[in-house]
Amino acid sequence: VFDLSKITPAKALQLCTLLPCNAVRVLVCGGDGTVGWVLDAIDEMKIKGQERYIPQVAILPLGTGNDLSNTLGWGAGYAGEVPVEQILRNVMEADGIELDRWKVQVTNKGYYNLRKPKVFTMNNYFSIGPDALMALNFHAHREKTPSLFSSRIINKAVYFFYGTKDCLVQECKDLNKKVELELDGERIKLPNLEGIIVLNIGYWGGGCRLWEGMGDEPYPLARHDDGLLEVVGVHGSFHCAQIQVKLANPVRLGQAHTVRLILKSSKMPMQVDGEPWAQGPCTVTITHKTHALMLYHSGEQTDDDASSLSE
């Protein structure tokens, strides 16, 4: 057991090189951000030529959203209800699968832009609009008063509050006039939208299957290993909330191997995997980066506590 507040994943993973090749399984206990940190360290192992020692990764979901964990069958949140022996048994019995990982490059607009483009690695989703604005507000307040944000239910309630507050502000209005979207090089005509979400995995927003929506229309299921991204639009944070409780469908814009989004004017909130920032005019390009070796638990997948309460 390694405590990641005391030792980095890169150091901890060096233990894999002392163990038999292609045999190691790692259980990451934390939120999707922690999982991303570990997967980045595993990518570093590939660069160092330690490919044969790479472990397969299982997840014990301890974060706020846990969408990646939910997608891979490890549930939407863990509160001690399953005994440790059972969790370890599940890890040993889980099936190996691949997870697409994507490179998100953000290049600021302007001829004299000497700053290097921002580059992120994405496992879950990229978005521009109301859900990124909620994440931005949420992060700002969590940094001010961290003690308030220790429970997942409180975190979800605060998230909901930011969603309803944003209904009044509508800072993301007329997004379709401010951005251009290209899927595999083809320009997409955008309807009236406030947000665009680019998905790699099935779950979004803490337990909601965004691409399928209400599940009443025959769309191909979203997969996390097909080299394709799903791109959807939302009309605002109220629409996001309706989708989360299966009262509405997203605006499906298409599937693609590469996504290009040009923000022509104004400052907009963006996020990659829950890490938000405010972004001025730029070009965002999302391309396939690599595969991660993950473990899939074929037990029950769950909607999160808040959604099941509402049901």
Side-chain angles (χ1 to χ4, degrees):
V1 176
F2 292 98
D3 178 349
L4 294 182
S5 65
K6 297 194 172 77
I7 184 168
T8 62
K11 279 196 178 140
L13 287 164
Q14 286 307 300
L15 180 61
C16 299
T17 62
L18 307 175
L19 297 165
C21 296
N22 304 319
V24 181
R25 297 185 163 205
V26 167
L27 177 66
V28 179
C29 308
D32 290 346
T34 311
V35 179
W37 192 23
V38 173
L39 295 182
D40 287 343
I42 290 173
D43 284 348
E44 291 295 319
M45 288 176 74
K46 291 182 196 169
I47 294 164
K48 283 186 193 160
Q50 297 176 337
E51 187 97 41
R52 63 187 187 281
Y53 298 115
I54 281 178
Q56 293 175 301
V57 179
I59 306 170
L60 186 69
L62 303 177
T64 304
N66 307 313
D67 289 309
L68 180 57
S69 163
N70 211 359
T71 300
L72 300 180
W74 298 101
Y78 176 73
E81 64 279 10
V82 182
V84 172
E85 302 76 40
Q86 183 59 49
I87 292 168
L88 295 180
R89 204 171 297 123
N90 292 346
V91 172
M92 294 316 294
E93 291 168 1
D95 301 318
I97 56 148
E98 289 191 333
L99 170 75
D100 290 322
R101 302 189 79 212
W102 301 81
K103 175 182 165 187
V104 180
Q105 184 166 313
V106 182
T107 312
N108 289 329
K109 197 175 164 185
Y111 298 109
Y112 308 110
N113 183 24
L114 301 172
R115 276 186 306 179
K116 283 212 310 234
K118 283 194 282 229
V119 178
F120 302 87
T121 302
M122 171 181 109
N123 303 311
N124 298 8
Y125 33 69
F126 163 85
S127 70
I128 175 171
D131 72 322
L133 181 62
M134 279 189 253
L136 201 55
N137 288 338
F138 179 76
H139 269 247
H141 282 76
R142 183 155 66 176
E143 278 168 15
K144 271 191 217 157
T145 49
S147 55
L148 245 181
F149 294 88
S150 54
S151 125
R152 198 164 65 241
I153 291 252
I154 288 179
N155 284 355
K156 297 211 92 136
V158 173
Y159 242 91
F160 183 73
F161 165 71
Y162 283 128
T164 49
K165 202 174 90 166
D166 179 40
C167 289
L168 311 174
V169 186
Q170 289 192 311
E171 290 173 52
C172 306
K173 249 187 139 24
D174 297 328
L175 179 71
N176 46 299
K177 293 177 185 160
K178 297 171 189 169
V179 303
E180 287 175 15
L181 177 70
E182 286 177 13
L183 302 185
D184 289 338
E186 190 180 318
R187 175 95 179 264
I188 302 297
K189 191 174 184 317
L190 293 174
N192 187 15
L193 293 175
E194 288 188 20
I196 292 171
I197 301 162
V198 181
L199 297 148
N200 180 42
I201 59 173
Y203 282 91
W204 162 86
C208 145
R209 291 196 69 88
L210 182 58
W211 176 252
E212 286 91 40
M214 298 192 290
D216 57 344
E217 295 168 15
Y219 273 86
L221 282 178
R223 292 182 61 94
H224 45 262
D225 59 356
D226 58 358
L228 278 174
L229 293 164
E230 285 72 42
V231 186
V232 305
V234 291
H235 297 305
S237 53
F238 186 66
H239 186 209
C240 285
Q242 285 179 308
I243 296 167
Q244 281 189 313
V245 291
K246 298 189 173 68
L247 289 177
N249 282 319
V251 181
R252 296 182 188 88
L253 299 170
Q255 291 176 295
H257 300 281
T258 61
V259 174
R260 198 153 164 261
L261 189 138
I262 299 159
L263 176 59
K264 296 181 288 195
S265 61
S266 84
K267 209 167 198 175
M268 292 291 291
M270 291 186 181
Q271 68 157 345
V272 172
D273 289 356
E275 290 300 317
W277 73 96
Q279 175 66 48
C282 68
T283 300
V284 179
T285 312
I286 306 177
T287 50
H288 194 270
K289 180 183 175 184
T290 182
H291 287 111
L293 300 176
M294 306 299 288
L295 290 165
Y296 182 87
H297 174 50
S298 45
E300 282 294 291
Q301 280 164 318
T302 56
D303 277 2
D304 203 348
D305 27 33
S307 351
S308 28
L309 278 175
S310 69
E311 278 155 23

